[in-house]
Amino acid sequence: MSIEQENPESGREQRRRTPALLLGALPFAIAGSLVISSAGLSPVTAATAPQQSAAAAIVDQRPDVAKGVIAPGAIKDVDFTALVPTIKVTLPPKPKPKPVVKVTTYKAPSTYVAPKTTTTKTTTTTKTTTTTTTKTTTSYTAYCSSPKAPYLTGGDAKAMLSAANKERARIGARPLTWSSNLASAALKWSQTMLAKDMKTTTLIDGLSHNPYRPGAENVAVVYRSIGYSASAAISKMHKNYMYSNGHCKNIMNPAYRYMGVGVAHSSDGATWYSTQNFT
């Protein structure tokens, strides 16, 4: 039974709106008052009137002075810049100079000279491209979750090593090397399981793991009342190993380099035990 977990739908993105504060510059009209002080000008009063008349009469008698009114005060006290308006004169843009067109008249040579002929040599180079194909390695755990049909094997215990290496080649894992020490430990444990089974009337009740196993371990048993041949029993156990996830992982694990196998069977050929050790 497999449990599929669905990732919860991601929450809706919450958008935050930041209020915008707009500051408007309020124009202020500042009225400026121009105050002209005429400290040098005195108002005309009745007391000063006779003096002005006398001054005017004297001026009238001078032939080299134009007739007019002379006001009290000095000319340096008058601000002429406030009285004369500023005149802005805009001159038309300076015309761009007309482009100068230079005309060259072709003059034929008096004697015809044939052009030189140049010979170009073209060399073609052929480049050889080497394509390297990289084999994709599949994860052994992924492979064992859905293995392909196991290879058929048969013969003796070493036939399981040959079958295991064929399986490992499917995922690009390096082949295992036979270990005599592991094979000896595996054979002793297979014989121990068979002896336990033969002491009882219960079928295939001797299957268990070696508490002193020298490495990773697979154990299996097959039984048939009419008996198995060695080739049929070993093929059956290899198939069962490959279709069992945990046993398949031991066979396919790329970290392991060595393997040893031991097989034991009853005298009638009905019961077969096998042990596989890996390091």
Side-chain angles (χ1 to χ4, degrees):
M1 180 177 65
S2 62
I3 301 176
E4 298 182 358
Q5 295 183 352
E6 298 183 356
N7 292 327
E9 182 182 0
S10 58
R12 297 180 180 174
E13 180 183 0
Q14 297 183 356
R15 301 180 179 176
R16 300 180 178 177
R17 301 182 179 272
T18 305
L21 180 61
L22 303 179
L23 300 180
L26 300 179
F28 290 92
I30 303 175
S33 300
L34 177 62
V35 179
I36 301 176
S37 175
S38 301
L41 301 179
S42 302
V44 180
T45 60
T48 60
Q51 296 178 3
Q52 290 181 359
S53 299
I58 294 172
V59 172
D60 291 344
Q61 294 175 5
R62 296 178 59 184
D64 56 338
V65 179
K67 303 297 183 180
V69 178
I70 298 176
I75 191 170
K76 64 182 179 64
D77 297 328
V78 181
D79 186 3
F80 289 98
T81 59
L83 302 178
V84 180
T86 303
I87 300 175
K88 184 178 181 182
V89 179
T90 303
L91 298 178
K94 186 178 181 181
K96 295 182 179 179
K98 295 182 179 180
V100 178
V101 180
K102 186 177 181 181
V103 180
T104 302
T105 304
Y106 174 75
K107 183 179 180 181
S110 57
T111 304
Y112 174 75
V113 179
K116 294 181 180 181
T117 302
T118 304
T119 303
T120 303
K121 184 178 180 181
T122 304
T123 303
T124 303
T125 303
T126 303
K127 184 178 181 181
T128 303
T129 303
T130 303
T131 304
T132 303
T133 303
T134 303
K135 186 176 180 181
T136 303
T137 302
T138 305
S139 168
Y140 76 99
T141 55
Y143 178 84
C144 289
S145 64
S146 181
K148 295 181 181 180
Y151 286 102
L152 297 177
T153 185
D156 57 6
K158 271 193 174 182
M160 283 191 171
L161 172 67
S162 177
N165 284 336
K166 289 180 181 180
E167 306 293 354
R168 289 167 68 88
R170 287 176 165 175
I171 63 169
R174 61 186 173 184
L176 295 167
T177 301
W178 182 262
S179 170
S180 298
N181 291 335
L182 293 178
S184 177
L187 177 59
K188 289 180 180 179
W189 186 248
S190 293
Q191 292 171 341
T192 299
M193 291 188 292
L194 177 64
K196 180 181 178 181
D197 190 345
M198 294 295 103
K199 289 179 181 179
T200 66
T201 57
T202 305
L203 298 177
I204 58 175
D205 59 347
L207 189 67
S208 61
H209 276 292
N210 182 1
Y212 307 106
R213 54 187 174 271
E217 183 180 73
N218 287 342
V219 291
V221 59
V222 292
Y223 171 83
R224 190 168 66 174
S225 59
I226 60 175
Y228 281 107
S229 66
S231 179
I234 290 174
S235 292
K236 180 72 173 178
M237 286 187 284
H238 173 72
K239 183 179 179 180
N240 291 347
Y241 282 142
M242 291 306 299
Y243 280 136
S244 172
N245 187 266
H247 298 87
C248 175
K249 287 180 180 179
N250 279 341
I251 294 173
M252 303 296 286
N253 193 334
Y256 297 148
R257 300 182 59 186
Y258 300 98
M259 178 182 182
V261 182
V263 178
H265 62 87
S266 59
S267 57
D268 58 358
T271 305
W272 291 75
Y273 281 90
S274 71
T275 303
Q276 297 179 337
N277 290 126
F278 305 88
T279 57

